[in-house]
Amino acid sequence: IGSKLSEIVSTPVLAPSLPLQEDFVYHWKAITHYYIETSDDKAPVTDTNIPSHLEQMLDILTQEEGERESGETGPCMEYLLHHKILETLYTLGKADCPPGMKQQVLTFYTKLLAHIRQPLLPHINVHRPVQKLVRLCGEVLAAPTENEEIQFLCIVCAKLKQDPYLVNFFLENKSKRPEIKSPERAKELKQNALAPDTGQSAAEQRADCPGEPQAAASASTSSPTNNNNSSSSNYNLVTSLLNLTKSPDGRIVVKACEGLMLLVSLPEPAAAKCLTENTELCELLTDRLVSFYKALPQSMDPLDIETVESVNWGLDVYNLKEDAAVFTGKGALISFLSWLDYCDQLIKEAHKSAASVMAKAVRERFFVSVMEPQLMQTSEVGILTSTALLNRIIRQVTSEALLQEMVYFLLGEEKELETQATITQNPLRHRLIEHCDHLSDEISIMTLRLFEQLIQKPNQHILHSLVLRNLEERNYLENKPQDERETMENGQPHDAVDLEEDPLFGDDLSPESRLLGSDWLSSSPQQSPDHLKSDGKTEVHKIVNSFLCLVPDEAKSSYHVEGTGYDTYLRDAHRQFRDYCGVCQQWDWRGNPKPFEKCNLDLPFFEGHFLKVLFDRMGRILDQPYDVNLQVTAVLSKLSLLPHPHLHEYLLDPYISLAPGCRSLFSVIVRVVGDLMLRIHRIPDFTPKLLLVRKRLLGLEPEGINVDHMTLLEGVIVLEEFCKELAAIAFVKYHAAASSSP
C-alpha cells in the first residue's frame, strides 16, 4: 500500500487543457495587450511574442476545423469573424507597428486562406480586410515584404479560381469614398481596433461604427454583386500584381505573372471587362514585348534565331557569359521569346472578350508600331533579321485570338477575289510576297519559310487570303464541255508499283484522314468515263503516273541510287495529310467542288499574288540555287496536301482543261520539262554528271572538282524529287477518299 501511495504522490498532476476557444482568446488578447501596455513601438516584431501568438491562433483554427464536420464553423472561427480580428490585423499591418508587423499580418492572412478548407472569402469580415490588404501590396518597389505580398496575392487568386463568382467582391467601385490616410485618422483607427473586448453585443458595435455595413451575424456571409458597370470599378488585385511584375527579383515577377494568369482565366464577364478597361495589363504586355524586341541586336544570324532552344515563360534562366559565347544577343532573344510565350499563354487562357482586347493591343502596339517598319525597310540585313524573327514568332504563337490578329496584320482582312490591280492594296502583304522572289536568295528562302510556317497554322483566313479566294469560281477551267479532255497514256514507269497492296495504306487510315468523304476529290463533272473507273484504281495510277512520267528517263537519276524511289515519300505524305485533315476538320471544306454550272467562268482568272510568285519561281527551277528550289517546292507540296476540293483540282489534277491564258502547277512543270529537253542535248555526259551531283548531295561521294552546269543539274534533281512527292500526295489523298467511300 505504501509503495502505491508513494507512486501516486510522485506522479505529477497535469492541469486540464484549456478549451480551444479560451486558448484562442488568450493568444489574441496577449497581442492586443502588448499594444496597450507597450510604449516602445520601435522594437522589431521579432523581438516580441506576437509571431508566436499568431502562429498558435492559426494552429488552433486548423485543429478546430479538423475536429468538426465539413463546413461547420467552430467557436474560434466565430470569434475571429465576430470580433473583426482580420480588420484589426490589417490596421496593424498597414501601420507596420511594431516594425515587421506587415510581414506577420501578410503571413497570417496567407496561411489562414491556405489552411482553412471552409470558404472564408464570402464572409464580409474576411473579404473586406482582404481587399484592403491587397491594396497595400506592390505599393513600394523592392519592399522587404515583397515575398509575403506575392504569396498572399497568389493564394487569393487561387481561391478565386476555385470559386470565380467571388471575384466580384474585388471589383471595387471608383466612386466609393477613398480611405482617409491622415495620421490622425490612422491613429484613431488603431485605437478603435485595439480597444479591449468590453463584451458589447454585435449590434452595439455596429451602432458605434455607422460607416460599417450591417452584418446579420458574426459569421455572416454576403453575396458578391455582379458588377455590370465595370468601367467604374477598380481591380486592385490586378493592379497590385502588375506592380510586382516590375520587381527586380525574377522569382517575384514569375509568381506575379502566375497570379495574373489565374485572374484572366476567370469566367466572369464583368471581371474580364474590368481587366482590360481599368487596369494597365495590356500596356504591361505590349510595352515589355516592345522593350525586349528593341533590345535585340539589329543584325542576327537567321539560323541562330531559328535554332535557339524552345523557350517557356518563367524559365528564361540563362548564363550571360555562356550565351554571349554562343552568339551575340542570345540572352536578349531568349528574354523576348519568353515574354512572347507569356503573352501567348495569357491570351490563350483568358476570357474570350479579354483575349480579343489583349490580342488587338499586341497587334497595334507591337506588330504595327514596331515590326511593320522593320519588315518594310530596304536594308537587306534588316529585312533578313526581322523576317527570321517574324518566322520564329509565327512558329511560337498558339493562342487563337493572337494568331488571328497576327494573320490580319500580315495578310489583311480582305476576303474578295484578288486582281492584278488590288494586290498592292495591303502594302505589308504585298511586300512579304514579293520578298519570296527577292534578289537576295537568303531573303527569298527566309520569306518562303515564313509562308510555309504560316500555311500550317490552324487559321482558315490564311489559306483563304493566299489561295482559296481566287479559286472559288473555278474559272481556271475552260468554259466548254470537256469531252475532248486529253488523257496521258497509262504506262508504268520503272519505279511505279502496285501501291494498293502497300501495308501502309491498308485499313488503318485514321477517321481524320477520311473526314472529308470521297466526293471532295472528284474533279470536274465533265471527265471522260475512262478517267473514272469504278474501282478508282485506274484513276489513281493515271494521276500518279502523270507526275512520275513528267521528267524524261534521261533526266532521272534516282533509280541509280538505292532507297530513293517514289514510295519513300508515301509515309511522309500519309502522316502530313492526316495532320492537315485534323487541322482543317473544323472548316467547311466538305463535298464536291462547286458545281460547274454555278461557277462564274466568264470572270477573268487570276491565280493570286502568292501563287503567281510561287509558279514564277517554279518555272525557273533549272536556273535557281538548290536551297531556293527546295523551299519553293516545300511550300507548294504543303499547299497540295490541303484537303480542299478546288485546291486539289487546281494543283494535283493533270486532266483539267485550263482556260486560255491560265496555268496550273502541272502546266508549269510541263513547260519546265520542255525547256529541260532542249537543254539536255547541249550538255555532254549529262547523265553521269547528274548522277555524280545526286551522290554528292546525298553525301555518297566526296566533294571534288567543280561540275559544269551545277545549278541546272541540281534543279533537275529537285524537279524529279518534287514530281515523286506530288505523285505520293495525289495517291494518299485519293486512297483516303476511297477508304471513306460507302
Side-chain angles (χ1 to χ4, degrees), residues 20 24 55-68 76-77 111-112 114-117:
L20 285 179
F24 186 80
E55 193 67 37
Q56 291 293 325
M57 289 169 66
L58 280 169
D59 290 343
I60 290 168
L61 290 169
T62 306
Q63 182 184 343
E64 179 185 70
E65 185 179 52
E67 294 173 355
R68 294 185 166 270
C76 298
M77 183 61 75
K111 289 182 176 179
L112 181 72
H115 295 168
I116 301 301
R117 294 189 303 276

Side-chain angles (χ1 to χ4, degrees), residues 645-664:
H646 295 176
L647 196 57
H648 175 85
E649 176 180 63
Y650 185 59
L651 295 181
L652 287 180
D653 190 346
Y655 296 98
I656 59 172
S657 294
L658 293 169
C662 295
R663 58 181 177 171
S664 66

Side-chain angles (χ1 to χ4, degrees), residues 127-145:
H127 69 251
R128 178 161 296 162
V130 166
Q131 285 174 11
K132 292 177 181 177
L133 194 57
V134 163
R135 288 199 291 268
L136 290 185
C137 297
E139 282 188 328
V140 180
L141 198 62
T145 55

Side-chain angles (χ1 to χ4, degrees), residues 552-571:
D553 284 346
E554 57 265 41
K556 289 180 180 177
S557 55
S558 60
Y559 58 90
H560 292 292
V561 180
E562 190 176 346
T564 57
Y566 144 66
D567 52 312
T568 58
Y569 286 96
L570 285 171
R571 192 171 297 277

Side-chain angles (χ1 to χ4, degrees), residues 360-580:
K360 282 182 169 67
V362 173
R363 174 184 174 183
E364 292 302 320
R365 298 182 189 194
F366 172 65
F367 284 120
V368 174
S369 299
V370 179
M371 284 220 72
E372 186 167 351
Q374 294 289 309
L375 294 164
M376 297 290 284
Q377 66 182 302
T378 54
S379 161
E380 289 192 1
V381 172
I383 293 170
L384 189 60
T385 301
S386 57
T387 305
L389 285 166
L390 179 59
N391 188 28
R392 183 63 194 250
I393 291 168
I394 291 170
R395 194 172 97 195
Q396 193 160 314
V397 168
T398 57
S399 65
E400 187 178 339
L402 185 55
L403 177 60
Q404 184 70 69
E405 292 301 326
M406 184 172 65
V407 168
Y408 285 157
F409 159 70
L410 293 171
L411 304 179
E413 301 182 38
E414 298 80 19
K415 297 183 184 296
E416 61 277 5
L417 285 172
E418 280 183 275
T419 65
Q420 289 278 10
T422 62
I423 60 174
T424 57
Q425 193 173 3
N426 185 315
L428 178 61
R429 180 185 190 274
H430 180 261
R431 182 70 64 87
L432 285 173
I433 293 175
E434 285 293 305
H435 283 175
C436 293
D437 199 0
H438 198 276
L439 286 173
S440 162
D441 291 334
E442 278 189 293
I443 289 175
S444 294
I445 290 168
M446 184 47 64
T447 311
L448 286 163
R449 278 184 188 163
L450 185 149
F451 279 105
E452 182 186 9
Q453 193 74 240
L454 197 60
I455 61 179
Q456 295 178 79
K457 303 299 282 189
N459 182 286
Q460 192 172 6
H461 184 70
I462 296 169
L463 298 164
H464 182 81
S465 173
L466 291 174
V467 287
L468 295 179
R469 57 175 165 163
N470 305 307
L471 306 179
E472 281 182 346
E473 297 299 327
R474 298 175 72 201
N475 47 334
Y476 44 83
L477 296 173
E478 192 173 13
N479 189 9
K480 68 175 186 179
Q482 299 182 4
D483 295 335
E484 308 92 12
R485 170 178 278 196
E486 292 182 13
T487 59
M488 291 184 66
E489 184 183 349
N490 188 24
Q492 294 283 332
H494 50 78
D495 57 351
V497 292
D498 191 4
L499 291 161
E500 265 71 1
E501 305 303 323
D502 194 307
L504 176 62
F505 297 98
D507 296 325
D508 63 338
L509 281 172
S510 65
E512 290 84 359
S513 303
R514 305 175 182 177
L515 66 101
L516 298 172
S518 58
D519 297 338
W520 70 273
L521 282 170
S522 301
S523 294
S524 49
Q526 290 79 9
Q527 289 169 332
S528 64
D530 181 56
H531 183 47
L532 285 171
K533 296 292 175 97
S534 59
D535 63 356
K537 192 167 182 176
T538 304
E539 178 189 19
V540 173
H541 276 287
K542 278 190 173 184
I543 289 172
V544 167
N545 290 333
S546 295
F547 285 106
L548 292 179
C549 294
L550 265 176
V551 178
D553 284 346
E554 57 265 41
K556 289 180 180 177
S557 55
S558 60
Y559 58 90
H560 292 292
V561 180
E562 190 176 346
T564 57
Y566 144 66
D567 52 312
T568 58
Y569 286 96
L570 285 171
R571 192 171 297 277
D572 281 343
H574 171 64
R575 176 183 53 78
Q576 291 174 8
F577 179 64
R578 182 188 60 213
D579 292 344
Y580 263 130

Side-chain angles (χ1 to χ4, degrees), residues 31-154:
I31 294 172
T32 58
H33 287 159
Y34 167 85
Y35 287 92
I36 295 166
E37 296 168 0
T38 303
S39 57
D40 179 19
D41 57 359
K42 292 184 179 178
V45 71
T46 50
D47 289 353
T48 74
N49 290 325
I50 291 175
S52 175
H53 289 303
L54 287 173
E55 193 67 37
Q56 291 293 325
M57 289 169 66
L58 280 169
D59 290 343
I60 290 168
L61 290 169
T62 306
Q63 182 184 343
E64 179 185 70
E65 185 179 52
E67 294 173 355
R68 294 185 166 270
E69 294 290 331
S70 177
E72 185 183 346
T73 304
C76 298
M77 183 61 75
E78 286 278 2
Y79 186 91
L80 177 134
L81 298 169
H82 178 80
H83 290 83
K84 300 181 182 176
I85 287 176
L86 294 180
E87 285 278 4
T88 304
L89 288 173
Y90 159 73
T91 307
L92 299 174
K94 185 183 179 192
D96 200 29
C97 178
M101 189 60 188
K102 181 180 177 183
Q103 200 169 23
Q104 296 297 322
V105 171
L106 285 163
T107 300
F108 183 85
Y109 272 64
T110 303
K111 289 182 176 179
L112 181 72
L113 292 173
H115 295 168
I116 301 301
R117 294 189 303 276
Q118 70 179 89
L120 292 178
L121 283 178
H123 294 276
I124 194 168
N125 288 338
V126 176
H127 69 251
R128 178 161 296 162
V130 166
Q131 285 174 11
K132 292 177 181 177
L133 194 57
V134 163
R135 288 199 291 268
L136 290 185
C137 297
E139 282 188 328
V140 180
L141 198 62
T145 55
E146 262 192 347
N147 193 52
E148 287 74 23
E149 288 174 16
I150 195 62
Q151 296 293 340
F152 164 66
L153 293 175
C154 283

Side-chain angles (χ1 to χ4, degrees), residues 231-250:
S231 59
S232 62
S233 298
N234 284 323
Y235 203 162
N236 289 313
L237 189 52
V238 172
T239 303
S240 294
L241 286 168
L242 289 175
N243 288 338
L244 287 170
T245 63
K246 299 165 189 172
S247 167
D249 187 338

